[in-house]
Amino acid sequence: MAPSPRVNDERPVYVIGAGPGGLAVAYALRKRGVRTVVLEKGAGVGSSWRRHYDRLRLHTTRRLSALPGLAIPRRFGRWVRRDDVVRYLEKYAEHHDIEVVTGVEVTRVERLADGAAGAAGGGWLLHATGGRRLTGRAVVVATGFNHTPKVPEWPGRDTFRGELLHASEYRNPGPYADRDVLVVGVGNTGAEIAADLADGGAARVRLAVRTPPYILRRSTLGWPSQRTGILVRRLPVALVDRLAGPVSRLSTPDLSAHGLPRPTGGLYTRVRQGAIPVQDVGLVKAVRTGRVQVVPAVSALDGTDVVLASGERVTPDVVIAATGYQRGLSDLVGHLDVLDARGRPRTHGRRPLPSAPGLFFTGFTNPISGMFRELALDANRIAKRIASGRA
């Protein structure tokens, strides 16, 4: 039997994004003999990691965060710093001789008809900066979970005269020493920035909370919460919800007297809805000691005032919106009917949609078992699917 024309297709696989997900897929494909080109709009690999705040560390352990084919050095410690994550990604690309082209932004991906571009089996056309038109046998979109900063459309935002920035612009507490800062949002980023400001000399730190989060210790008696996430990920949601309540109560004290009541609803149910538990790296202590004051959610901005859901008005020197990100995929692939109503891929990992064979997504979920670990697993699954000729 003649080999599949897909298997012998000499066109490369294009990976969009040189973060951990993109690099892992590129290595897994290269290991299987598939030429792969990584296209990165930034100046180097790990662009989004370079822009994160200075204090950031992986909330997952070094051993469980390595990408395929290269361990993270022991000298980076158990909880790897942001700068060391970047060093690891640079070394990863070099060690595996991954073909990375920087300074190239892909703006649109289109499906080729069968037989187009001189090859059977269709494929994909990528429009990129500089007028580039690139054809590939398959495309892996790995542009990242934290792509486009999102600031809510609060009433009065356009005429707000105070200082307002997104958490993506925050680096360290230095510029905020002796200032009154309101952090909006209590995900991991908001919680860590609030603690960082409290430790770094801000005169006052408020944390605006809409929905109280589950707060877990990063590690208990040497056992990382990530391992628990791995163990329970495949269990029924209702069962994990029942188990998580007592664990949460044992893990962190009740902060209700400080304005942060225990969360309602099941932990895993909320994870499935996109609400990842907060790993405590200083927030609990800062709240208990009064260095971070919990206040209600923001409902509006008015002149230099911030109006809270309780009706109270505060006038901070700075508002930092730790309000998340959008995936930023609409222009790139929105026309292909592969996104849901919230702009997220309708599939991920090794299973492309039937209407878009050869188009894969990785890194657009936020699993409790650890992002890097899941990226590594996804990489091998995607590469196996593409190399098999069934992409």
Side-chain angles (χ1 to χ4, degrees):
M1 179 181 294
S4 165
R6 276 258 183 194
V7 175
N8 291 335
D9 193 338
E10 295 181 355
R11 294 173 298 175
V13 172
Y14 283 106
V15 176
I16 305 174
L23 295 177
V25 170
Y27 161 69
L29 283 164
R30 191 176 187 279
K31 185 176 69 172
R32 290 168 171 80
V34 179
R35 187 194 167 201
T36 307
V37 179
V38 181
L39 303 174
E40 168 57 48
K41 71 176 182 179
V45 303
S47 291
S48 64
W49 276 91
R50 298 173 192 270
R51 296 192 299 268
H52 285 310
Y53 48 93
D54 297 349
R55 174 175 168 145
L56 180 66
R57 292 174 180 261
L58 285 178
H59 291 158
T60 54
T61 67
R62 171 180 53 82
R63 289 186 176 182
L64 294 175
S65 301
L67 301 178
L70 186 67
I72 299 176
R74 287 178 58 90
R75 68 179 183 276
F76 288 173
R78 193 182 197 197
W79 312 105
V80 184
R81 294 178 180 272
R82 178 205 63 186
D83 289 349
D84 287 333
V85 171
V86 173
R87 292 186 184 97
Y88 172 67
L89 296 179
E90 290 174 337
K91 182 63 177 178
Y92 191 86
E94 176 188 358
H95 180 78
H96 292 306
D97 195 23
I98 296 172
E99 188 174 350
V100 180
V101 183
T102 59
V104 175
E105 181 177 7
V106 179
T107 55
R108 187 177 175 88
V109 175
E110 296 178 349
R111 188 178 178 189
L112 291 170
D114 188 40
W124 296 90
L125 171 66
L126 288 71
H127 298 266
T129 50
R132 295 176 176 86
R133 292 167 61 88
L134 310 170
T135 57
R137 57 185 280 195
V139 174
V140 182
V141 180
T143 50
F145 195 83
N146 297 337
H147 186 272
T148 305
K150 178 177 63 178
V151 177
E153 292 290 340
W154 290 306
R157 195 187 84 175
D158 292 342
T159 56
F160 182 60
R161 298 195 303 275
E163 185 177 345
L164 171 64
L165 64 147
H166 188 268
S168 59
E169 302 174 69
Y170 177 87
R171 294 295 174 270
N172 58 66
Y176 310 98
D178 300 320
R179 303 181 76 188
D180 184 332
V181 185
L182 172 66
V183 180
V184 184
V186 70
N188 277 293
T189 296
E192 191 156 353
I193 288 176
D196 198 30
L197 288 163
D199 292 341
R204 184 174 192 176
V205 181
R206 297 184 184 94
L207 180 61
V209 176
R210 181 178 302 279
T211 304
Y214 279 91
I215 303 175
L216 302 175
R217 293 178 181 174
R218 189 165 57 180
S219 178
T220 302
L221 300 176
W223 178 268
S225 62
Q226 179 190 7
R227 286 198 178 275
T228 302
I230 293 170
L231 291 174
V232 305
R233 192 176 182 205
R234 303 299 179 188
L235 295 178
V237 173
L239 175 60
V240 179
D241 282 349
R242 286 197 295 272
L243 295 173
V247 171
S248 176
R249 287 190 290 274
L250 290 172
S251 177
T252 54
D254 186 357
L255 299 174
S256 299
H258 303 280
L260 193 61
R262 291 199 182 278
T264 58
L267 183 150
Y268 203 22
T269 295
R270 291 176 59 171
V271 167
R272 297 289 290 269
Q273 296 168 349
I276 295 297
V278 170
Q279 302 287 316
D280 180 34
V281 290
L283 178 66
V284 169
K285 182 178 180 180
V287 170
R288 294 183 76 182
T289 58
R291 293 180 300 122
V292 170
Q293 177 188 355
V294 178
V295 298
V298 172
S299 61
L301 305 177
D302 184 12
T304 58
D305 289 351
V306 177
V307 184
L308 304 179
S310 61
E312 178 186 0
R313 288 174 174 259
V314 296
T315 309
D317 297 320
V318 186
V319 178
I320 300 176
T323 46
Y325 294 80
Q326 296 172 330
R327 307 294 84 84
L329 295 172
S330 295
D331 291 341
L332 185 69
V333 296
H335 55 286
L336 297 171
D337 192 30
V338 294
L339 305 179
D340 65 17
R342 296 173 61 184
R344 304 170 303 182
R346 293 198 287 119
T347 187
H348 71 276
R350 68 176 179 269
R351 297 184 179 87
L353 293 171
S355 61
L359 179 63
F360 299 85
F361 296 88
T362 186
F364 294 96
T365 60
N366 198 3
I368 58 174
S369 49
M371 175 69 82
F372 274 50
R373 179 181 182 273
E374 295 303 319
L375 290 174
L377 296 173
D378 263 359
N380 283 314
R381 293 164 181 159
I382 291 171
K384 183 178 179 180
R385 177 70 178 258
I386 293 174
S388 72
R390 297 185 295 114

